[in-house]
Amino acid sequence: MRTREGGHAVVADEAEVIARVRAGDVQAYARLVRAYTGIALRTAAAFGAGAEAEDVVQAAFFKAYQALSRFREGASFRSWLLRIVVNETRNTVRSAVRLRSATGREAALTEAEPLIPESADPAVAAIDDERRKQLLAALDRLSPEQRLVVTYRYLLDMNEAETAEALGWPRGTVKSRLNRGLKKLGRLLPPPEGDQDDPEGSEEGAWG
């Protein structure tokens, strides 16, 4: 059975499914693949996989399957999988000797999951598109750790606990790096239309 949690598909009986896979039920693994392919593709795209996002995700699912015996019981499979996706993406980008750019990552994110509804007003959509470009450009000016935590927490819409588990960091580290990253983004990003006169609103406006 699949449910949705925080906007993402999740496998309600995940522990049972993993136990079945470990016992040799290969078909049970397909449930995990179906549930988490979308967020895995978005993660690969967010970290610069570009046109190789699907290959990266396939490789990540295969590696996760091979390493399932080392998966910690009670942990989140989704968070564990996404850490593998990020590592696989880095290896792919490094081997291709490609530098991640805000423009390339924006295109990949848009292909992975449209961020602006087709029914949106064209003028509003243009503003949203420009804000997204500004955001992705600003993200490239954060430290690697800040960029990681902000991407997980907001672009991938993971909660604090999931972010900590996916990154393998203590929650206190997630909080502090996220706080510093958001403050820096608040300085880098121009305020939204209508907020130029609000000196206190820049940081919240970047994400609100």
Side-chain angles (χ1 to χ4, degrees):
M1 177 181 178
R2 276 195 304 172
T3 60
R4 297 195 71 83
E5 181 180 284
H8 302 302
V10 296
V11 178
D13 51 347
E14 188 176 276
E16 179 185 336
V17 173
I18 290 173
R20 286 170 53 193
V21 178
R22 282 173 162 171
D25 185 353
V26 179
Q27 294 302 317
Y29 194 63
R31 291 182 57 189
L32 299 174
V33 173
R34 286 193 299 270
Y36 300 131
T37 291
I39 186 65
L41 283 170
R42 249 193 112 183
T43 300
F47 286 95
E52 280 78 37
E54 289 190 6
D55 291 338
V56 163
V57 169
Q58 288 180 7
F61 271 115
F62 180 69
K63 289 184 177 182
Y65 179 77
Q66 288 184 312
L68 203 57
S69 61
R70 301 194 298 272
F71 176 71
R72 181 168 53 85
E73 188 173 347
S76 164
F77 178 82
R78 184 179 69 180
S79 299
W80 183 68
L81 171 70
L82 294 187
R83 192 189 302 185
I84 297 174
V85 171
V86 170
N87 289 337
E88 190 67 21
T89 300
R90 286 172 169 169
N91 292 338
T92 298
V93 171
R94 192 180 299 119
S95 65
V97 198
R98 290 183 323 200
L99 294 176
R100 283 184 301 133
S101 67
T103 302
R105 191 162 65 254
E106 181 214 357
L109 276 169
T110 302
E111 290 172 4
E113 183 170 326
L115 299 180
I116 300 175
E118 292 182 1
S119 60
D121 181 281
V124 173
I127 293 173
D128 288 346
D129 186 58
E130 181 60 28
R131 290 292 294 173
R132 186 168 68 248
K133 289 178 181 178
Q134 292 170 349
L135 171 60
L136 291 172
L139 279 172
D140 279 345
R141 296 177 63 183
L142 300 183
S143 71
E145 293 81 8
Q146 290 169 352
R147 186 164 57 244
L148 267 174
V149 71
V150 170
T151 299
Y152 270 106
R153 183 68 180 85
Y154 291 100
L155 290 185
L156 300 178
D157 196 27
M158 298 179 75
N159 63 35
E160 188 178 281
E162 291 171 328
T163 300
E165 187 167 355
L167 293 173
W169 297 350
R171 290 183 68 167
T173 301
V174 168
K175 283 184 177 180
S176 61
R177 289 179 176 171
L178 182 62
N179 184 55
R180 288 196 292 269
L182 292 180
K183 284 183 177 178
K184 187 170 183 179
L185 281 176
R187 294 192 296 269
L188 293 172
L189 287 169
E193 291 293 327
D195 288 352
Q196 287 85 349
D197 297 329
D198 180 9
E200 304 296 328
S202 59
E203 193 175 314
E204 183 178 350
W207 300 98

